[in-house]
Short mmCIF file of all heavy atoms in Angstrom, two decimals:
data_model
loop_
_atom_site.label_atom_id
_atom_site.label_comp_id
_atom_site.label_asym_id
_atom_site.label_seq_id
_atom_site.Cartn_x
_atom_site.Cartn_y
_atom_site.Cartn_z
N ARG A 1 -98.15 32.82 -185.72
CA ARG A 1 -98.84 33.45 -186.85
C ARG A 1 -98.72 34.95 -186.73
O ARG A 1 -98.54 35.50 -185.65
CB ARG A 1 -100.31 33.03 -186.90
CG ARG A 1 -101.16 33.56 -185.78
CD ARG A 1 -102.58 33.01 -185.88
NE ARG A 1 -103.43 33.52 -184.81
CZ ARG A 1 -104.68 33.09 -184.59
NH1 ARG A 1 -105.19 32.14 -185.36
NH2 ARG A 1 -105.39 33.62 -183.61
N GLN A 2 -98.86 35.59 -187.89
CA GLN A 2 -98.82 37.05 -187.93
C GLN A 2 -99.90 37.54 -188.86
O GLN A 2 -99.88 37.26 -190.07
CB GLN A 2 -97.46 37.55 -188.38
CG GLN A 2 -97.29 39.06 -188.25
CD GLN A 2 -95.86 39.49 -188.33
OE1 GLN A 2 -94.99 38.77 -188.82
NE2 GLN A 2 -95.57 40.70 -187.85
N ALA A 3 -100.85 38.26 -188.28
CA ALA A 3 -101.93 38.85 -189.05
C ALA A 3 -101.46 40.20 -189.61
O ALA A 3 -100.56 40.82 -189.05
CB ALA A 3 -103.16 39.04 -188.18
N PRO A 4 -102.09 40.65 -190.70
CA PRO A 4 -101.69 41.95 -191.27
C PRO A 4 -101.77 43.07 -190.23
O PRO A 4 -102.78 43.22 -189.55
CB PRO A 4 -102.72 42.16 -192.38
CG PRO A 4 -103.17 40.78 -192.74
CD PRO A 4 -103.14 39.99 -191.48
N GLY A 5 -100.67 43.80 -190.09
CA GLY A 5 -100.66 44.93 -189.18
C GLY A 5 -100.53 44.58 -187.71
O GLY A 5 -100.62 45.47 -186.85
N LYS A 6 -100.31 43.31 -187.42
CA LYS A 6 -100.22 42.89 -186.01
C LYS A 6 -98.89 42.20 -185.75
O LYS A 6 -98.18 41.80 -186.66
CB LYS A 6 -101.37 41.94 -185.66
CG LYS A 6 -102.74 42.59 -185.72
CD LYS A 6 -103.80 41.68 -185.15
CE LYS A 6 -105.15 42.36 -185.13
NZ LYS A 6 -106.21 41.49 -184.55
N GLU A 7 -98.57 42.07 -184.46
CA GLU A 7 -97.34 41.38 -184.08
C GLU A 7 -97.51 39.86 -184.23
O GLU A 7 -98.62 39.34 -184.17
CB GLU A 7 -96.98 41.73 -182.63
CG GLU A 7 -96.58 43.18 -182.44
CD GLU A 7 -96.08 43.46 -181.03
OE1 GLU A 7 -96.12 42.55 -180.19
OE2 GLU A 7 -95.63 44.60 -180.78
N ARG A 8 -96.38 39.20 -184.37
CA ARG A 8 -96.40 37.75 -184.44
C ARG A 8 -96.83 37.20 -183.08
O ARG A 8 -96.37 37.68 -182.04
CB ARG A 8 -95.00 37.24 -184.80
CG ARG A 8 -94.96 35.84 -185.31
CD ARG A 8 -93.61 35.51 -185.92
NE ARG A 8 -93.32 36.28 -187.13
CZ ARG A 8 -92.30 36.03 -187.92
NH1 ARG A 8 -91.45 35.06 -187.64
NH2 ARG A 8 -92.12 36.77 -189.00
N GLU A 9 -97.72 36.19 -183.09
CA GLU A 9 -98.20 35.62 -181.84
C GLU A 9 -98.03 34.10 -181.84
O GLU A 9 -98.12 33.45 -182.89
CB GLU A 9 -99.68 35.96 -181.59
CG GLU A 9 -100.65 35.35 -182.57
CD GLU A 9 -102.11 35.57 -182.16
OE1 GLU A 9 -102.37 35.99 -181.01
OE2 GLU A 9 -102.99 35.30 -182.99
N LEU A 10 -97.83 33.58 -180.64
CA LEU A 10 -97.67 32.14 -180.47
C LEU A 10 -99.01 31.44 -180.62
O LEU A 10 -99.99 31.83 -179.99
CB LEU A 10 -97.07 31.85 -179.10
CG LEU A 10 -96.83 30.38 -178.76
CD1 LEU A 10 -95.79 29.77 -179.67
CD2 LEU A 10 -96.41 30.25 -177.29
N VAL A 11 -99.04 30.41 -181.45
CA VAL A 11 -100.26 29.64 -181.67
C VAL A 11 -100.23 28.35 -180.85
O VAL A 11 -101.19 28.02 -180.16
CB VAL A 11 -100.43 29.30 -183.16
CG1 VAL A 11 -101.61 28.37 -183.38
CG2 VAL A 11 -100.58 30.58 -183.97
N ALA A 12 -99.13 27.60 -180.95
CA ALA A 12 -99.06 26.30 -180.29
C ALA A 12 -97.61 25.88 -180.10
O ALA A 12 -96.73 26.30 -180.85
CB ALA A 12 -99.79 25.23 -181.11
N VAL A 13 -97.42 25.08 -179.08
CA VAL A 13 -96.11 24.48 -178.79
C VAL A 13 -96.31 22.98 -178.63
O VAL A 13 -97.29 22.55 -178.01
CB VAL A 13 -95.51 25.04 -177.49
CG1 VAL A 13 -94.13 24.45 -177.24
CG2 VAL A 13 -95.47 26.55 -177.50
N ILE A 14 -95.39 22.20 -179.16
CA ILE A 14 -95.38 20.77 -178.89
C ILE A 14 -93.98 20.41 -178.44
O ILE A 14 -93.00 20.71 -179.12
CB ILE A 14 -95.87 19.93 -180.09
CG1 ILE A 14 -95.92 18.44 -179.70
CG2 ILE A 14 -95.03 20.17 -181.33
CD1 ILE A 14 -96.71 17.59 -180.69
N SER A 15 -93.91 19.78 -177.27
CA SER A 15 -92.61 19.44 -176.72
C SER A 15 -92.02 18.23 -177.45
O SER A 15 -92.70 17.53 -178.20
CB SER A 15 -92.74 19.14 -175.23
OG SER A 15 -93.39 17.89 -175.04
N SER A 16 -90.75 17.97 -177.17
CA SER A 16 -90.12 16.80 -177.76
C SER A 16 -90.83 15.52 -177.32
O SER A 16 -90.84 14.52 -178.05
CB SER A 16 -88.64 16.74 -177.36
OG SER A 16 -88.50 16.73 -175.95
N GLY A 17 -91.47 15.56 -176.17
CA GLY A 17 -92.20 14.40 -175.68
C GLY A 17 -93.65 14.34 -176.11
O GLY A 17 -94.37 13.42 -175.73
N GLY A 18 -94.07 15.35 -176.88
CA GLY A 18 -95.43 15.33 -177.42
C GLY A 18 -96.46 16.11 -176.61
O GLY A 18 -97.65 16.09 -176.93
N ASN A 19 -96.04 16.80 -175.55
CA ASN A 19 -96.99 17.62 -174.80
C ASN A 19 -97.32 18.89 -175.58
O ASN A 19 -96.44 19.49 -176.20
CB ASN A 19 -96.41 17.98 -173.43
CG ASN A 19 -96.21 16.74 -172.58
OD1 ASN A 19 -97.09 15.89 -172.48
ND2 ASN A 19 -95.05 16.62 -171.95
N GLU A 20 -98.58 19.31 -175.51
CA GLU A 20 -99.06 20.42 -176.33
C GLU A 20 -99.55 21.57 -175.46
O GLU A 20 -100.18 21.35 -174.41
CB GLU A 20 -100.23 19.95 -177.21
CG GLU A 20 -99.88 18.79 -178.12
CD GLU A 20 -101.11 17.95 -178.46
OE1 GLU A 20 -102.17 18.56 -178.73
OE2 GLU A 20 -101.02 16.72 -178.45
N ILE A 21 -99.29 22.77 -175.91
CA ILE A 21 -99.80 23.99 -175.29
C ILE A 21 -100.35 24.86 -176.41
O ILE A 21 -99.74 24.96 -177.48
CB ILE A 21 -98.70 24.74 -174.53
CG1 ILE A 21 -98.13 23.87 -173.40
CG2 ILE A 21 -99.23 26.05 -173.95
CD1 ILE A 21 -96.93 24.49 -172.71
N TYR A 22 -101.50 25.52 -176.16
CA TYR A 22 -102.15 26.34 -177.18
C TYR A 22 -102.41 27.74 -176.67
O TYR A 22 -102.70 27.95 -175.49
CB TYR A 22 -103.47 25.70 -177.61
CG TYR A 22 -103.29 24.36 -178.26
CD1 TYR A 22 -103.36 23.19 -177.49
CD2 TYR A 22 -102.99 24.25 -179.61
CE1 TYR A 22 -103.16 21.94 -178.08
CE2 TYR A 22 -102.79 23.01 -180.20
CZ TYR A 22 -102.87 21.87 -179.43
OH TYR A 22 -102.66 20.65 -180.01
N GLY A 23 -102.34 28.68 -177.60
CA GLY A 23 -102.75 30.03 -177.27
C GLY A 23 -104.26 30.08 -177.08
O GLY A 23 -105.00 29.30 -177.70
N ASP A 24 -104.72 31.00 -176.25
CA ASP A 24 -106.15 31.07 -175.94
C ASP A 24 -107.04 31.21 -177.18
O ASP A 24 -108.11 30.60 -177.24
CB ASP A 24 -106.42 32.23 -174.98
CG ASP A 24 -105.96 31.91 -173.56
OD1 ASP A 24 -105.75 30.73 -173.25
OD2 ASP A 24 -105.82 32.86 -172.76
N PRO A 25 -106.66 32.01 -178.19
CA PRO A 25 -107.55 32.18 -179.34
C PRO A 25 -107.82 30.89 -180.13
O PRO A 25 -108.79 30.84 -180.88
CB PRO A 25 -106.82 33.21 -180.21
CG PRO A 25 -105.92 33.93 -179.28
CD PRO A 25 -105.49 32.90 -178.29
N VAL A 26 -106.97 29.88 -180.00
CA VAL A 26 -107.12 28.69 -180.82
C VAL A 26 -107.46 27.43 -180.02
O VAL A 26 -107.67 26.36 -180.60
CB VAL A 26 -105.87 28.43 -181.69
CG1 VAL A 26 -105.49 29.69 -182.47
CG2 VAL A 26 -104.70 27.95 -180.85
N LYS A 27 -107.53 27.56 -178.71
CA LYS A 27 -107.81 26.39 -177.87
C LYS A 27 -109.13 25.75 -178.27
O LYS A 27 -110.13 26.45 -178.47
CB LYS A 27 -107.86 26.80 -176.40
CG LYS A 27 -106.50 26.94 -175.75
CD LYS A 27 -106.64 27.32 -174.28
CE LYS A 27 -105.28 27.51 -173.65
NZ LYS A 27 -105.38 27.98 -172.24
N GLY A 28 -109.11 24.44 -178.40
CA GLY A 28 -110.31 23.70 -178.74
C GLY A 28 -110.60 23.63 -180.23
O GLY A 28 -111.51 22.92 -180.66
N ARG A 29 -109.81 24.38 -181.04
CA ARG A 29 -110.03 24.37 -182.49
C ARG A 29 -108.81 23.85 -183.26
O ARG A 29 -108.96 23.26 -184.32
CB ARG A 29 -110.35 25.78 -182.98
CG ARG A 29 -111.61 26.37 -182.37
CD ARG A 29 -111.99 27.70 -183.02
NE ARG A 29 -110.96 28.72 -182.83
CZ ARG A 29 -110.34 29.35 -183.82
NH1 ARG A 29 -110.61 29.07 -185.08
NH2 ARG A 29 -109.42 30.28 -183.56
N PHE A 30 -107.63 24.12 -182.76
CA PHE A 30 -106.39 23.73 -183.44
C PHE A 30 -105.74 22.59 -182.68
O PHE A 30 -105.81 22.51 -181.44
CB PHE A 30 -105.40 24.90 -183.49
CG PHE A 30 -105.78 26.02 -184.42
CD1 PHE A 30 -107.04 26.14 -184.97
CD2 PHE A 30 -104.83 26.99 -184.73
CE1 PHE A 30 -107.36 27.18 -185.81
CE2 PHE A 30 -105.14 28.05 -185.57
CZ PHE A 30 -106.40 28.14 -186.10
N ILE A 31 -105.07 21.72 -183.43
CA ILE A 31 -104.31 20.62 -182.84
C ILE A 31 -102.96 20.53 -183.53
O ILE A 31 -102.89 20.46 -184.77
CB ILE A 31 -105.04 19.27 -183.00
CG1 ILE A 31 -106.42 19.31 -182.33
CG2 ILE A 31 -104.21 18.13 -182.41
CD1 ILE A 31 -107.28 18.12 -182.64
N THR A 32 -101.90 20.53 -182.73
CA THR A 32 -100.57 20.35 -183.31
C THR A 32 -100.09 18.94 -183.03
O THR A 32 -100.44 18.34 -182.01
CB THR A 32 -99.58 21.40 -182.76
OG1 THR A 32 -98.35 21.30 -183.48
CG2 THR A 32 -99.31 21.21 -181.28
N SER A 33 -99.31 18.42 -183.95
CA SER A 33 -98.75 17.08 -183.78
C SER A 33 -97.41 17.02 -184.49
O SER A 33 -97.03 17.96 -185.20
CB SER A 33 -99.72 16.02 -184.33
OG SER A 33 -99.95 16.22 -185.72
N ARG A 34 -96.73 15.93 -184.29
CA ARG A 34 -95.41 15.79 -184.92
C ARG A 34 -95.19 14.35 -185.33
O ARG A 34 -95.66 13.42 -184.66
CB ARG A 34 -94.31 16.26 -183.98
CG ARG A 34 -94.20 15.49 -182.68
CD ARG A 34 -93.30 16.22 -181.67
NE ARG A 34 -91.94 16.36 -182.18
CZ ARG A 34 -91.09 17.29 -181.74
NH1 ARG A 34 -91.44 18.14 -180.79
NH2 ARG A 34 -89.86 17.35 -182.26
N ASP A 35 -94.46 14.17 -186.42
CA ASP A 35 -94.04 12.84 -186.86
C ASP A 35 -92.52 12.87 -186.87
O ASP A 35 -91.90 13.39 -187.80
CB ASP A 35 -94.60 12.55 -188.26
CG ASP A 35 -94.30 11.14 -188.73
OD1 ASP A 35 -93.29 10.54 -188.28
OD2 ASP A 35 -95.03 10.63 -189.57
N ASN A 36 -91.93 12.32 -185.83
CA ASN A 36 -90.47 12.39 -185.70
C ASN A 36 -89.76 11.58 -186.77
O ASN A 36 -88.66 11.93 -187.19
CB ASN A 36 -90.04 11.93 -184.31
CG ASN A 36 -90.43 12.91 -183.22
OD1 ASN A 36 -90.57 14.12 -183.46
ND2 ASN A 36 -90.61 12.41 -182.01
N ALA A 37 -90.40 10.51 -187.24
CA ALA A 37 -89.78 9.70 -188.29
C ALA A 37 -89.66 10.49 -189.59
O ALA A 37 -88.74 10.25 -190.38
CB ALA A 37 -90.58 8.43 -188.51
N LYS A 38 -90.58 11.43 -189.79
CA LYS A 38 -90.57 12.24 -191.01
C LYS A 38 -90.02 13.64 -190.77
O LYS A 38 -89.98 14.46 -191.69
CB LYS A 38 -91.99 12.35 -191.57
CG LYS A 38 -92.57 11.03 -192.06
CD LYS A 38 -93.96 11.24 -192.66
CE LYS A 38 -94.53 9.93 -193.18
NZ LYS A 38 -95.89 10.10 -193.77
N SER A 39 -89.63 13.92 -189.52
CA SER A 39 -89.15 15.27 -189.17
C SER A 39 -90.14 16.34 -189.64
O SER A 39 -89.76 17.34 -190.26
CB SER A 39 -87.75 15.54 -189.76
OG SER A 39 -86.80 14.67 -189.21
#
């Protein structure tokens, strides 16, 4: 994400195997997921 006037920052990563990593500002509030059948 990129807020006005700020640098782009990493929010979340999801691996090909479904493992998730979150940036500190969003931990516990955001959840990333993927549907490989729907890309």
Side-chain angles (χ1 to χ4, degrees):
R1 69 184 181 187
Q2 188 164 19
K6 295 189 176 181
E7 292 186 355
R8 198 168 294 190
E9 66 172 348
L10 180 65
V11 174
V13 182
I14 183 165
S15 73
S16 58
N19 295 314
E20 303 153 42
I21 299 173
Y22 297 93
D24 286 343
V26 308
K27 280 181 182 176
R29 299 188 297 122
F30 289 13
I31 300 171
T32 188
S33 61
R34 62 193 298 158
D35 185 333
N36 289 334
K38 295 182 178 180
S39 296

